[in-house]
Structure formats: structure tokens, C-alpha cells
Amino acid sequence: MEYLSMHLPELKFGRKDVNVQAYEQALTSWTDDVPTCRESGVGSAINELYRRDGSRIQIHSFQDRSFRFRVEDYDLCVYGVFDGFGGAQVADFVTKRIPAELLWGQLVPEKSDEAVKETLRQAFISVDKEYFESIGDRLAARMVMQCDPQYSSSSQLEELEDRVRAGSAGVLAVVLGNRLFVASIGDCRALLYRSGEILPLSIDHTIYNEDELLRLSHLGVDLKLGVSYPELGERSYTRCLGNYPVKGGYKESTLLASCQDEPVIPEPEVLGGIPIQDFSFLLLYTKSLWHAVAEATGCQDPDSEIAELCRYYFREESSLSGVAQAVVDQVVRLHHDRLEASGGRADTREDITLLIREFGGCREPRGNTPGRGLSRGLMDKKEEKTLTRSSARPSRPTRSSTTTESSGVYLAGKEIPIDEHGRIQPYVDFAPFYQLWNQRKFSQGSSDK
């Protein structure tokens, strides 16, 4: 304690912890050499605050992280979507460490289902432990400051408290041969789609889950279903990565001090192996996408709406990343339009990430001829904007940006005309140019003679 007190001035909380920095230097680029899975794609949108005047501003830096790797030697694909909170440091750490726990021979086709599931569980637990070891100096400095009255209300202590509360939810999918395994923690979501059938592969680990409340009651703390408890953090996770105050520091909480063990755990729920031959595609996404669809449409089953929207864009986009980004863009647009139409107060939308993995069972035609999307967007701009399956196909969004609001192409206030195939018709007459050009060529040819 005395040593830490003497060296507290050296702990510059504006810079990275030495151990975290060492990890980042060692792991920042190693995944660059791991092949990306070409049968998958990712789309995302950064968080926004919608103001009453129609403008939008970013609330905080982007905190989602994802990866999609393939190792041919083991017939292995690993996908992850991680939703950071309180900062991106935990999600960033996890997406650099978990692939190292899975890609180098730990998972091989000969492994049994139970052995694979145990490997995934241990990967989450091990990485969570490594993260806390990497911020050991910060945790020690925080403890010293809490015991020293001169730091009781300092900005340095407040900054440390914010940093150690950072955490991440996440969902991890592994395709090993023809088997699928999914590990989830927090409230990120996963689903499989097959011929109109949706198979959910994740549950929410929050105080809204009765099984989780039962687990906590066995540890000695009784919580009421759906009641908000600030001690568990803003998102009320009962399982997550990071978030020291509800793990190693749970004895500091009056609500959790009676627990016999750490109440919030890093152990994921794991499903598998699921044969993938008959399925069309797998979706992994942050809960914010689910919330945005629910708020934009009022539907009771956002998962189905997201799957149907993906099916639509399979016909419109030529790449899987294009499909994922088109779905995210459409949801963001509809979410913002809903707010404008209601005339409500300022509202927010969190970071969104959607990862799509296509399987051999997918029979959707991929991509249309160039220009068709723009043509349909112009023809459909008067259609009601909705995602519900009872409606016609969703309106085709402008693909340039999530913040672009126009549904067509304009020049000097006039819409550029297009033909029946969606191609832009000529709008500049070059006849006088060619007439002068031919006259000049003719005159030059005569002078040469």
C-alpha cells in the first residue's frame, strides 16, 4: 500500500495501463494474417442522438467490435460480435484474445460436441481473467485512492471508477465442419434462418431472466424480476465480460455483499453442435438492432423482421457485407423517421452491428443488374416505410450513408431522369461539340494536304 501511495503520481490515468499497452502491442496486428471468412459480412452504424431540429450528433466513440475468421486446415470458422459499454476497451481486448484461444488447434473436427462447448466456455472465462490481470495496476490505484481521504472526490478516482466499470456483452459462433456452436453472454443475439423458420440461439442474461434471478438467489441475493438495480450497472447484466465492481469488487456493494461468490459471471450459455446443411444463414447482432426495429415498427417479433429484411437484401446486394450494411441502414433510417413523424422529444440510438454468415442451404438469388436498386428506390419512395411481413417489400434505402435522407439523385434541384432499367438517361446534348470537332478535323486535314 505504501509503495502504491508513493507512486500514485506516476500513474497517469490519461494514458494506457502498462499491461494493457503490452497486450495491445503484442496483439494489435497478429489477426491481420488470419484469413477473413468470405462467406460472411458485417454492417454497422455508430450511435446517435436525434435532436428536435432534425440534426444528429454522436454520443460517444464506437464501442462495438467484431471478427470473422476462417482456418482451412481445421475446417473452422469463428465469428464474434461484442457490444462494449462504458468504453470500448473490454470489447477491444476480447476480440483480440478470444481468437487466440480458438484458432490454433484448440478446435478440430474430431472433437466431440461437449469438448467444443467446454473449450468455448473456458475461452470466455480465461479472457475475462486475463483482462482483469491486465488492469491490475489500475485496480490497485483505485483501492489506494478509496482509502485516502485526499482522493475521495478527485477527478482521478472518478475516472478510474468509470474505467473499471467498463465491460462487454457478446456472442460467438463457431462452424466446425458441418456443426454450429454458439456462445452468448449479456444480451447480444443469434438466430438461424431456414425457409421461413427462425431458430433463436441466445437468451438475455439480465434481471429480466427468471433463471438468472434464481441463480443469484442461490448465491444469497434476492432480486425482483424487471426491477432496476443501479449496483448492476446501466444494462443490468447478470453475465458479462469485464465490469469489476460486480465481480471482484462485489463486496463493496450493499446489494451484493451478501453473495457467497461473484454474482455476475463471465461464463456464457453454449449451444451446439447444430447441423447446418439445411439452414440458409446465421445472424449475430447487438441488442440495439433489435431495439431499433421494435421502436421503429412497434412489432412484437423484431427477430423475424430482421431475418425477413436480410432475405430481401439478399436479392438486392451483390456482397454479404452489402446485405448487412443495407439492413442496418434501413433500420437506422426507419428509426429516425419514426421519431420525426411522432414529433417526439430528443431520442438516442446505440451502436449497431450485424454479422451475416451464409450457408449452402441459402437459395436466395444474389444481386440484381446495376441500376435496378436505384430504379426501385425511386418507384417505391411513396410506399409506406415498414418492416412488417404483411407489407410489400421495404423501400430501398439510399446506400451512400446512414445520414443521407434523399431517395433519389438530384442535380441543381431537379431529379435526374432514369429509364425503365434504372439507368440514368443522358441529360447533356453533345451534338454541337461533335459538330465543331468534325469541322476542325476536316479543316486540319485540308491544310495538311
Side-chain angles (χ1 to χ4, degrees):
M1 291 283 287
E2 292 180 2
Y3 173 84
L4 287 171
S5 297
M6 291 171 58
H7 290 79
L8 273 174
E10 299 175 9
L11 293 171
K12 302 299 183 182
F13 306 116
R15 66 169 176 84
K16 296 177 180 176
D17 177 86
V18 175
N19 290 332
V20 172
Q21 192 173 38
Y23 266 113
E24 290 186 354
Q25 289 174 347
L27 299 171
T28 294
S29 61
W30 78 267
T31 53
D32 293 345
D33 297 328
V34 182
T36 299
C37 175
R38 301 303 178 186
E39 297 175 298
S40 64
V42 178
S44 62
I46 201 163
N47 60 89
E48 287 182 318
L49 167 67
Y50 305 148
R51 288 178 164 174
R52 288 185 177 181
D53 61 3
S55 63
R56 315 182 200 184
I57 60 172
Q58 181 180 331
I59 311 169
H60 53 73
S61 61
F62 190 66
Q63 297 177 351
D64 289 356
R65 297 292 186 269
S66 64
F67 55 77
R68 48 193 182 102
F69 298 125
R70 184 181 190 94
V71 180
E72 294 287 352
D73 293 346
Y74 306 118
D75 198 11
L76 170 68
C77 296
V78 179
Y79 312 95
V81 169
F82 291 86
D83 181 6
F85 58 89
Q89 57 264 37
V90 179
D92 209 36
F93 185 92
V94 169
T95 52
K96 292 170 183 174
R97 285 299 303 158
I98 278 191
E101 301 286 332
L102 303 174
L103 292 175
W104 306 126
Q106 299 94 329
L107 299 175
V108 294
E110 294 76 23
K111 267 200 170 185
S112 67
D113 287 358
E114 287 304 317
V116 172
K117 290 160 71 174
E118 182 60 24
T119 300
L120 299 184
R121 288 192 193 95
Q122 291 304 319
F124 275 74
I125 294 171
S126 173
V127 169
D128 191 63
K129 181 180 178 181
E130 288 179 23
Y131 172 73
F132 287 126
E133 290 174 351
S134 75
I135 63 169
D137 288 353
R138 291 185 183 277
L139 296 176
R142 170 179 173 269
M143 182 176 63
V144 170
M145 286 185 170
Q146 288 176 333
C147 298
D148 192 334
Q150 69 173 318
Y151 290 105
S152 60
S153 59
S154 70
S155 59
Q156 288 181 325
L157 178 58
E158 185 178 349
E159 182 182 349
L160 272 178
E161 294 287 4
D162 289 340
R163 286 182 177 273
V164 301
R165 276 195 291 264
S168 177
V171 58
L172 177 76
V174 169
V175 176
L176 187 60
N178 65 350
R179 296 176 294 165
L180 170 68
F181 301 85
V182 173
S184 63
I185 191 168
D187 60 2
C188 288
R189 303 183 73 82
L191 66 83
L192 273 172
Y193 181 89
R194 172 179 59 192
S195 302
E197 176 189 2
I198 298 216
L199 178 62
L201 300 178
S202 59
I203 62 173
D204 291 350
H205 299 113
T206 68
I207 55 174
Y208 300 95
N209 183 325
E210 292 184 358
D211 291 336
E212 287 296 286
L213 294 188
L214 180 61
R215 178 180 67 79
L216 290 174
S217 69
H218 289 161
L219 292 176
V221 58
D222 292 320
L223 304 180
K224 294 182 180 180
L225 184 68
V227 175
S228 177
Y229 295 94
E231 292 88 344
L232 290 175
E234 181 181 350
R235 302 194 185 185
S236 300
Y237 289 141
T238 55
R239 301 190 190 205
C240 70
L241 297 159
N243 198 0
Y244 177 79
V246 295
K247 290 185 177 173
Y250 75 94
K251 289 293 185 180
E252 300 172 12
S253 167
T254 55
L255 174 70
L256 306 174
S258 61
C259 285
Q260 301 170 6
D261 202 349
E262 293 184 5
V264 176
I265 59 177
E267 181 180 344
E269 296 274 356
V270 187
L271 299 177
I274 303 168
I276 61 174
Q277 294 94 329
D278 298 331
F279 286 97
S280 298
F281 53 84
L282 167 73
L283 301 181
L284 308 178
Y285 49 95
T286 54
K287 189 64 177 288
S288 51
L289 178 63
W290 189 95
H291 282 307
V293 171
E295 292 169 1
T297 66
C299 67
Q300 300 299 312
D301 189 8
D303 290 323
S304 296
E305 299 290 354
I306 293 168
E308 290 299 322
L309 196 55
C310 289
R311 286 189 64 239
Y312 169 71
Y313 281 112
F314 267 114
R315 298 190 293 266
E316 293 290 306
E317 300 293 332
S318 59
S319 71
L320 284 166
S321 288
V323 174
Q325 192 61 54
V327 171
V328 171
D329 287 348
Q330 179 75 318
V331 172
V332 168
R333 182 198 301 269
L334 292 173
H335 189 262
H336 181 259
D337 288 353
R338 184 272 310 170
L339 180 70
E340 282 199 331
S342 66
R345 60 178 178 80
D347 201 356
T348 61
R349 175 188 51 73
E350 268 298 336
D351 298 323
I352 289 176
T353 298
L354 168 65
L355 188 151
I356 300 176
R357 162 65 200 266
E358 183 181 20
F359 296 123
C362 187
R363 295 292 180 263
E364 301 289 345
R366 297 296 302 282
N368 286 309
T369 56
R372 182 174 175 183
L374 175 59
S375 175
R376 179 161 183 79
L378 292 173
M379 289 187 296
D380 292 348
K381 61 183 178 180
K382 292 186 179 180
E383 287 184 9
E384 179 182 0
K385 290 183 177 179
T386 178
L387 296 176
T388 57
R389 286 170 289 172
S390 59
S391 69
R393 292 177 181 176
S395 302
R396 179 75 167 91
T398 303
R399 295 289 296 116
S400 59
S401 168
T402 57
T403 59
T404 301
E405 308 245 352
S406 63
S407 59
V409 181
Y410 294 86
L411 181 67
K414 294 180 64 178
E415 186 175 318
I416 297 176
I418 61 173
D419 61 20
E420 66 272 18
H421 301 294
R423 293 188 292 264
I424 297 175
Q425 297 177 356
Y427 55 89
V428 178
D429 185 4
F430 286 96
F433 169 79
Y434 286 116
Q435 184 179 3
L436 292 172
W437 176 261
N438 290 329
Q439 289 176 356
R440 184 174 180 181
K441 285 182 65 178
F442 178 78
S443 62
Q444 286 179 345
S446 300
S447 61
D448 291 341
K449 291 180 181 180

